[in-house]
Amino acid sequence: QTFWGSKSTDVVGSFRYRALLVMAESMSSRQTPWCTIFLVVSTVLFNALVLVGNKWTADALSEIGVSTQGWSHVGTGIASALKSEIDVVMSNVSVTLLKSLDHVSAAQGSLEMVLSMVGNETDKAISKQPELLLLQEHGPEKGLALLQEVHGKNQSHVEALVPVVLASVHQVLEVVMQKVEETMDMLLKKLRPALEQVGKWIDQFGDKVIAGLQDFSTTLDKAQKIFDQVMAQLHGGGNNTDLMINQTWPIFDDDDSGEVSVTELQNVGQWFSISALQGDKPQSLIDKYDTSGDGQIGKKEFAKLVDDPSIPGSLSVILRKYAKRLAEIAGAVGQAYMRDDVALSVANYVKLVCAKNMTKVGWIADRLGNNSVPMDFTAGVFVEMCLTEDDPNAAVYTAADTGLLLTKAVYSLHPEAMTSSMDLVGNSSWWLSQGFNLQDQPKCAQKVAKWLATAEKTVTKISLLALQVLDAFPQTAFIMAEESAKLYRLERLQARQERRQQIFASETSQLLLTRLLGGVSPSDTMSEDSESVVNQSAAGLPAAPETLEFAKFLSANATDRAKELQHYCFDHSSESSNAIDDFASKIQAMLSKVTSFIQMMQKYSTPKGISDLENQVKDFLTKALQDVSKLVEEKLGSLVKMAAPQLDTAIHTAAHKAGEQIGAMIGQVISNPMIQALEAPLEEILAKQLGNQTANSIGMTLSSALGGEVSNLTSKALGSKIGDALEGLVDEALDKAGEGLETLTNKLPKVPGQLTESMDTHLSNVFDMPRKSRHQRAVMMMLQDAEKTADISDTVSHAWQGIVNLLRSLANLLPQAVNTLKDARTEVSKLSSGLESIFDVFGVKGPQIFNTVSKYYMTIWVAYFVFILPFCGFTLYYGLWANGWFGGPKPYPDEPEPPAPETLWQRFTLLFSKCFSFCIHCHDTGLCFWSVIIFMQVIVLVTFLICIVLALFAAVKAMIISGCEQVYILEDAGVCESGLTTLRNFLTKMPIGNNIIYTDEDIAGACDANSLLTCELVAAKFTKSTIMTSVSSLLASIFSLQMLFNAATLHEQAVWRRRAMAAKETKAD
């Protein structure tokens, strides 16, 4: 009664009471809460849809992980194919081209031997014929005179000997030309495989393929960056900062002083191309974090510096760059085959690891000095360290003197090995045998000597005198090496000169050299520099097996270490590469170097170029024999041809001299009678003037002088007249001798038609020329001498000059091409090692991250659904209970007062019973109800926050989808297969996972099989899940909030139902 109020007899009270009774009757029956059921079912339904949408998202994340592994297989497959195909083939081509240099030199030498042996044989054959020998040694005029006077032979005897000499020369010429043919065939045989491979590269690296590779590399960069961004957003940063600091600190602390200075920060920025650590930035960072004020920072301060907002992610950027350099050197060491490449790679490895790990320098020094590798290789490593130190284009990894550090390490372990290496470095013969430039020897000898002297000062205790000797050792080594190099050059020059003199010692060989090659032999143009270039073939020799074994071990160790550092960086940043890293630039650098090499060799490498090269060699072999034969015939014929006019002059001169001698004899005959006849008349004339005694003396003298003068005048006049008469008689005799020319030539031995025709011309010139005066004959001889060279040049085919020019071009081209190809191999090694390093980590970490995120993501949403489901079930139960189901609300029974507790247990029992009773009797109170409402509001708020999270995650998915729209290869199967086709055209075979792509059939379906169509796999699921989760979570939040409002209604229903039931019980009483 207190609860319902007093039963007043007034109208209002009566009406109120009757209303309560009516309400109690109406609420005593059960009702179905359709609104509550609808709200609860809707809330559960939309939360279930959220769970389904998130299941799609989780599946899509797992598929992205599978796709990252597929693309990782593509990247590592490209790296593997570059190593096993491109790099190996380039190495084989390099070796082939270097070996071809030896055959080029052999071919040049064989050409010189042809000229030498033919010339020697010609002169030897001439020396066996006295007639020809006299003509060659004494000239045509004197030689013919000697033939006629001493041997009693004439012109016809000389002409008959020409075919005999030619036959002997032809036999030698055929033999040596056969050797030349074998040498040229061997050159073409060795060179052809390399040229054919370059011809394949012309197609393989064609414009279309290059454009396709550039597009594919750009696409691969975009795909990899998208994956990196997604992984960074999903996984976030790692918790291995301490480990990263420990790994990065030695790179900054270059001098191992325990402090990092401004200079060291600047050096790191310069060495690893980090713009944030260049300029004035290092100074500002030191000023900001240098707590001690000494201008340097320790390790604790360094930990704060690397977290500076102006250099975000500096730890992973720097360490990843170091790991990248290490991977590149590891690839270069592992792929090196020639000994100079191995030595250079080891030198670069030492330079790099000196910045971080002197322990490795120690065991490298032990291997270099314990005779496990050849001493030539050990010395070569020190030479390469010297050369790279002075090379402005060489990569720099540390400010320390790495050559000195290695020298100290080797000398402390194996001093005898270090001194032996120094001896080799100072040896010019060894220097060139290793393919180094002789000009670099003095400075490198000085530098290595300086390292050795410093190492000995550090390792051993020495006296003052020994210290002075060590101080002078570097300069002494420089002077000795310089003198050794000069002496070696002089010896080589003298050897070349002596060889040339020996080869072209004969007169005919010099004639052949002049007429065929302009007086310049194939080896004459080889300067000291070009010899050094050609000597690079020595550097291109394969390294010793033990050296290659050491290189493989070093490569494996460096590769493992690079991968380990890459994993550290990934764990720290959740990215597989730095933001500025890209494959497109590396591929472009590789293609640029390869294209340069192809352009250098393209002239000889196309099918037409190879055919022209072979045709030129065949044309030479065909015409070379004819050219030499022509010149030998020309030489022998010239002896006869030159003898004809000179013989004519000699005969006429001899006839004239004979006339003068006859005139002199006549003058002597008449001189004495003339003197006696003049003496008496002169004395008579003089006696009248001077007296008898004086007249006698003067008369005798005057008569003698006048007699002699008259005799001389008489002899000259008679001699001239008689000489002219004798010349006319000789001309008549020679004209008659020409009538017997045909009979004489028919008696000569038969020779080739070409020679017969030539000799007929020569003989005709001898006997059929018209008689000329002395002046005419002199002019004719001068004209013949002037025209001789032009006549010969018209008959020679220039095949010799062409083949020599070809060999010289190859001798100059091949070393340059090998150097260019070596640079291309370096770029290939960088690209393959970079791909392998990044995609190996990408393939391992990517699936782990996406699978882990997918797993936890799904676990969270299942937990959320399980968490929200009981509240929905309780709300439904409460709605049914409030409407009379499950007994419905009932009046509270009166509970008797319990007895006072006596024991501790009774007190606890009473406490729990009162608490339970309070929950039963007081849950209808406003305080309890609104407490529950507030709690439920918190749950609704959580649901709303989850809706926001889903919206944010939808933004991530939208980013992925939008990124997919920019990278067609991740979405379109045709584009993907087209990209793989481009790779297949570039690489004969390419492994992708467990499959190897050879043909178009292998490409078909490869994108689906390896889950490369990432966007196609996830775009639909992400789109559906985004719509599903966004809409469903929003509706779930709305219905959850509405369910709270409905709960308030249900609570009031329960309160009034309980009151109605109490009123009904009261009426019954």
Side-chain angles (χ1 to χ4, degrees):
Q1 291 179 356
T2 303
F3 179 81
W4 289 100
S6 60
K7 293 183 178 180
S8 175
T9 58
D10 55 30
V11 177
V12 176
S14 176
F15 175 78
R16 181 181 179 188
Y17 181 75
R18 286 195 297 269
L20 287 175
L21 292 177
V22 172
M23 184 177 66
E25 289 294 332
S26 64
M27 295 185 65
S28 61
S29 61
R30 292 186 302 179
Q31 299 177 358
T32 303
W34 295 110
C35 181
T36 302
I37 294 173
F38 172 76
L39 291 175
V40 170
V41 171
S42 297
T43 302
V44 173
L45 175 63
F46 286 117
N47 277 289
L49 291 178
V50 169
L51 181 63
V52 172
N54 286 304
K55 176 63 169 58
W56 292 343
T57 301
D59 293 341
L61 291 174
S62 297
E63 289 177 353
I64 292 178
V66 175
S67 186
T68 59
Q69 193 168 35
W71 281 106
S72 172
H73 290 159
V74 172
T76 55
I78 295 174
S80 176
L82 287 172
K83 288 181 179 179
S84 62
E85 186 175 335
I86 301 296
D87 189 82
V88 170
V89 174
M90 284 183 174
S91 177
N92 294 336
V93 171
S94 297
V95 173
T96 301
L97 293 180
L98 287 173
K99 288 182 178 179
S100 298
L101 279 174
D102 297 333
H103 294 284
V104 170
S105 300
Q108 291 175 327
S110 66
L111 295 181
E112 293 177 340
M113 291 307 299
V114 169
L115 302 182
S116 175
M117 294 183 67
V118 171
N120 293 339
E121 183 63 25
T122 302
D123 288 353
K124 180 180 178 183
I126 291 175
S127 66
K128 293 180 179 180
Q129 308 298 332
E131 297 83 352
L132 295 175
L133 184 60
L134 286 173
L135 291 177
Q136 179 169 276
E137 292 182 352
H138 300 286
E141 182 179 350
K142 188 176 180 180
L144 283 174
L146 291 174
L147 281 175
Q148 292 172 350
E149 294 175 8
V150 178
H151 299 282
K153 296 182 179 181
N154 55 26
Q155 186 77 15
S156 62
H157 291 86
V158 177
E159 297 156 1
L161 295 174
V162 172
V164 177
V165 176
L166 286 177
S168 176
V169 172
H170 268 284
Q171 291 179 356
V172 175
L173 184 59
E174 289 177 356
V175 173
V176 294
M177 285 305 298
Q178 185 176 0
K179 295 293 184 182
V180 171
E181 183 177 358
E182 293 176 357
T183 304
M184 298 302 295
D185 288 343
M186 182 59 67
L187 172 61
L188 292 177
K189 181 179 179 181
K190 292 293 183 182
L191 195 57
R192 186 181 181 91
L195 297 180
E196 289 177 343
Q197 181 58 55
V198 177
K200 293 179 182 178
W201 283 343
I202 293 176
D203 295 330
Q204 191 172 357
F205 290 87
D207 293 339
K208 184 177 180 180
V209 175
I210 288 178
L213 284 176
Q214 291 173 341
D215 290 342
F216 181 82
S217 61
T218 302
T219 302
L220 189 62
D221 280 331
K222 290 181 179 178
Q224 189 256 339
K225 296 304 180 187
I226 289 175
F227 286 130
D228 272 354
Q229 292 174 7
V230 173
M231 288 187 292
Q233 291 188 11
L234 293 179
H235 190 255
N239 56 357
N240 61 341
T241 303
D242 292 339
L243 175 63
M244 291 292 292
I245 291 175
N246 291 332
Q247 294 296 327
T248 311
W249 172 257
I251 299 177
F252 286 88
D253 185 17
D254 189 48
D255 57 0
D256 199 23
S257 63
E259 301 284 340
V260 173
S261 64
V262 174
T263 301
E264 287 174 325
L265 282 179
Q266 292 173 338
N267 288 339
V268 171
Q270 180 180 357
W271 296 337
F272 295 98
S273 302
I274 302 174
S275 58
L277 294 179
Q278 297 179 4
D280 297 332
K281 187 64 178 180
Q283 183 64 59
S284 63
L285 289 173
I286 292 294
D287 294 341
K288 182 177 181 180
Y289 294 100
D290 178 22
T291 57
S292 61
D294 59 353
Q296 296 180 332
I297 58 173
K299 202 168 185 179
K300 292 182 179 179
E301 298 164 322
F302 174 76
K304 298 178 181 178
L305 182 146
V306 294
D307 284 336
D308 190 88
S310 63
I311 49 173
S314 58
L315 287 176
S316 58
V317 170
I318 294 171
L319 191 60
R320 188 178 285 118
K321 282 182 174 289
Y322 177 86
K324 174 185 172 184
R325 295 276 181 89
L326 185 61
E328 290 175 354
I329 293 176
V333 175
Q335 296 300 114
Y337 175 71
M338 294 177 281
R339 57 188 181 187
D340 63 329
D341 291 339
V342 179
L344 177 61
S345 301
V346 172
N348 286 333
Y349 178 81
V350 172
K351 290 173 63 177
L352 180 63
V353 298
C354 276
K356 277 184 62 66
N357 195 336
M358 283 300 298
T359 302
K360 290 187 177 181
V361 177
W363 60 256
I364 291 176
D366 182 54
R367 288 294 300 269
L368 292 177
N370 63 5
N371 294 323
S372 60
V373 294
M375 192 56 61
D376 289 342
F377 174 74
T378 301
V381 171
F382 284 101
V383 172
E384 293 291 354
M385 296 195 72
C386 167
L387 295 177
T388 54
E389 184 173 319
D390 295 333
D391 185 2
N393 297 321
V396 179
Y397 309 109
T398 177
D401 190 343
T402 54
L404 176 60
L405 294 175
L406 182 62
T407 302
K408 287 181 178 179
V410 175
Y411 188 80
S412 63
L413 297 173
H414 308 283
E416 67 287 347
M418 194 62 235
T419 54
S420 298
S421 299
M422 181 66 227
D423 293 339
L424 291 176
V425 172
N427 189 315
S428 297
S429 178
W430 176 87
W431 190 271
L432 280 181
S433 70
Q434 301 299 306
F436 298 118
N437 192 329
L438 203 58
Q439 295 178 350
D440 297 326
Q441 185 188 9
K443 63 180 180 181
C444 280
Q446 182 181 30
K447 190 176 295 289
V448 176
K450 181 179 178 181
W451 291 341
L452 181 57
T454 306
E456 188 168 354
K457 292 178 187 178
T458 305
V459 175
T460 60
K461 295 182 179 181
I462 54 178
S463 63
L464 181 61
L465 179 60
L467 183 62
Q468 294 176 348
V469 172
L470 287 178
D471 290 338
F473 182 44
Q475 185 62 27
T476 303
F478 177 85
I479 295 174
M480 293 180 64
E482 191 174 40
E483 292 299 323
S484 175
K486 290 180 180 178
L487 179 61
Y488 191 82
R489 290 193 190 98
L490 180 60
E491 291 176 350
R492 290 176 68 89
L493 178 60
Q494 291 176 346
R496 288 199 305 271
Q497 292 176 345
E498 291 175 359
R499 179 179 179 274
R500 193 186 193 284
Q501 292 174 358
Q502 292 175 358
I503 291 177
F504 302 107
S506 64
E507 181 179 341
T508 304
S509 62
Q510 294 177 8
L511 173 67
L512 294 174
L513 179 64
T514 302
R515 300 306 183 197
L516 293 174
L517 300 176
V520 182
S521 70
S523 60
D524 282 348
T525 57
M526 186 176 292
S527 63
E528 193 69 36
D529 292 337
S530 60
E531 274 197 2
S532 298
V533 172
V534 173
N535 282 336
Q536 288 181 0
S537 59
L541 293 177
E546 53 268 32
T547 302
L548 293 177
E549 181 273 331
F550 170 65
K552 296 298 182 184
F553 169 76
L554 197 64
S555 174
N557 182 274
T559 300
D560 292 341
R561 180 57 177 166
K563 290 181 179 179
E564 183 180 12
L565 295 179
Q566 285 281 9
H567 281 275
Y568 293 159
C569 295
F570 192 97
D571 292 339
H572 183 72
S573 64
S574 297
E575 294 179 341
S576 60
S577 64
N578 294 331
I580 61 174
D581 290 340
D582 65 314
F583 306 117
S585 61
K586 295 184 180 65
I587 289 180
Q588 181 60 39
M590 179 197 71
L591 294 176
S592 176
K593 293 294 184 180
V594 176
T595 303
S596 298
F597 169 77
I598 292 174
Q599 290 175 349
M600 295 176 68
M601 299 293 298
Q602 189 168 6
K603 177 181 177 181
Y604 305 105
S605 302
T606 61
K608 183 180 182 301
I610 297 174
S611 177
D612 291 344
L613 183 63
E614 293 176 341
N615 291 336
Q616 185 174 358
V617 172
K618 291 178 181 178
D619 182 66
F620 165 73
L621 295 174
T622 301
K623 295 179 179 180
L625 186 63
Q626 299 175 2
D627 290 343
V628 174
S629 299
K630 287 179 182 179
L631 290 174
V632 173
E633 293 166 8
E634 190 72 33
K635 174 181 174 60
L636 297 175
S638 66
L639 294 177
V640 179
K641 184 176 181 180
M642 293 170 59
Q646 294 179 3
L647 175 61
D648 185 65
T649 302
I651 292 174
H652 287 77
T653 302
H656 202 79
K657 287 182 178 180
E660 291 177 351
Q661 290 176 359
I662 293 173
M665 292 174 62
I666 293 174
Q668 290 178 0
V669 171
I670 67 173
S671 64
N672 290 331
M674 184 71 70
I675 292 172
Q676 293 176 2
L678 292 174
E679 183 177 354
L682 288 174
E683 287 179 356
E684 290 178 1
I685 295 170
L686 292 173
K688 295 178 180 180
Q689 303 292 331
L690 302 174
N692 292 332
Q693 187 175 2
T694 304
N696 289 337
S697 176
I698 294 174
M700 290 178 62
T701 303
L702 187 57
S703 62
S704 177
L706 289 174
E709 185 65 27
V710 172
S711 175
N712 289 338
L713 292 173
T714 303
S715 65
K716 290 180 179 180
L718 290 174
S720 179
K721 293 296 183 181
I722 295 172
D724 290 341
L726 289 176
E727 287 187 46
L729 293 174
V730 170
D731 289 340
E732 293 179 4
L734 289 175
D735 290 338
K736 291 182 179 180
E739 297 175 359
L741 174 62
E742 183 176 358
T743 304
L744 177 63
T745 55
N746 290 334
K747 294 180 180 181
L748 293 176
K750 298 296 182 180
V751 293
Q754 201 176 30
L755 177 60
T756 303
E757 182 180 353
S758 177
M759 290 307 300
D760 288 343
T761 303
H762 299 330
L763 296 175
S764 298
N765 290 334
V766 174
F767 291 102
D768 293 342
M769 66 174 56
R771 301 300 106 200
K772 300 179 183 295
S773 66
R774 289 191 188 91
H775 177 70
Q776 290 174 329
R777 288 192 296 271
V779 172
M780 182 186 70
M781 292 179 64
M782 292 176 62
L783 291 174
Q784 287 180 346
D785 291 338
E787 293 175 356
K788 182 173 63 175
T789 303
D791 293 340
I792 294 176
S793 63
D794 291 339
T795 59
V796 174
S797 66
H798 303 291
W800 279 82
Q801 190 64 57
I803 200 67
V804 169
N805 290 339
L806 172 64
L807 294 176
R808 286 173 184 166
S809 298
L810 291 176
N812 292 326
L813 173 65
L814 293 183
Q816 298 175 19
V818 169
N819 286 337
T820 304
L821 190 58
K822 184 182 294 186
D823 294 338
R825 284 194 63 204
T826 301
E827 297 300 330
V828 171
S829 178
K830 288 182 178 180
L831 176 60
S832 61
S833 59
L835 287 171
E836 185 176 22
S837 176
I838 290 177
F839 278 101
D840 178 77
V841 177
F842 189 73
V844 173
K845 295 294 186 178
Q848 290 181 358
I849 288 178
F850 283 105
N851 289 334
T852 301
V853 170
S854 173
K855 177 181 177 181
Y856 284 116
Y857 186 79
M858 196 59 203
T859 301
I860 290 172
W861 284 106
V862 169
Y864 166 76
F865 185 76
V866 171
F867 172 77
I868 206 71
L869 195 60
F871 288 95
C872 293
F874 174 76
T875 302
L876 179 61
Y877 170 80
Y878 187 75
L880 292 173
W881 176 81
N883 283 275
W885 296 85
F886 309 112
K890 297 184 181 296
Y892 297 123
D894 295 332
E895 296 181 356
E897 188 67 23
E902 296 179 359
T903 62
L904 179 63
W905 175 253
Q906 290 177 348
R907 288 187 175 90
F908 276 111
T909 303
L910 179 62
L911 175 63
F912 286 117
S913 65
K914 289 298 181 179
C915 288
F916 182 73
S917 177
F918 175 81
C919 291
I920 292 175
H921 296 124
C922 298
H923 69 273
D924 287 342
T925 62
L927 177 63
C928 180
F929 170 73
W930 290 111
S931 297
V932 173
I933 289 297
I934 292 174
F935 179 71
M936 293 296 293
Q937 285 180 333
V938 171
I939 295 177
V940 173
L941 178 62
V942 171
T943 306
F944 181 73
L945 292 177
I946 291 175
C947 178
I948 295 176
V949 171
L950 288 175
L952 295 176
F953 199 79
V956 175
K957 292 185 285 185
M959 181 198 70
I960 297 175
I961 295 172
S962 63
C964 289
E965 293 177 354
Q966 301 174 16
V967 186
Y968 301 113
I969 198 171
L970 297 178
E971 185 174 14
D972 190 281
V975 177
C976 180
E977 292 180 0
S978 176
L980 295 182
T981 302
T982 300
L983 289 177
R984 200 277 315 277
N985 293 334
F986 175 63
L987 302 168
T988 305
K989 61 179 181 179
M990 190 185 73
I992 300 181
N994 297 325
N995 302 320
I996 298 180
I997 293 178
Y998 289 101
T999 63
D1000 293 338
E1001 289 75 13
D1002 297 329
I1003 294 177
C1007 294
D1008 290 325
N1010 293 277
S1011 301
L1012 302 183
L1013 301 176
T1014 311
C1015 295
E1016 185 183 63
L1017 293 173
V1018 304
K1021 290 186 178 180
F1022 272 162
T1023 302
K1024 291 191 302 180
S1025 67
T1026 300
I1027 297 173
M1028 178 75 76
T1029 54
S1030 300
V1031 174
S1032 299
S1033 60
L1034 179 62
L1035 292 176
S1037 299
I1038 293 174
F1039 281 109
S1040 297
L1041 183 62
Q1042 189 63 33
M1043 200 166 56
L1044 282 181
F1045 299 152
N1046 182 256
T1049 303
L1050 293 176
H1051 177 263
E1052 287 299 319
Q1053 260 187 334
V1055 170
W1056 286 102
R1057 182 176 288 275
R1058 190 183 304 279
R1059 289 179 178 178
M1061 294 300 295
K1064 187 177 181 179
E1065 291 179 359
T1066 303
K1067 179 182 179 182
D1069 295 338

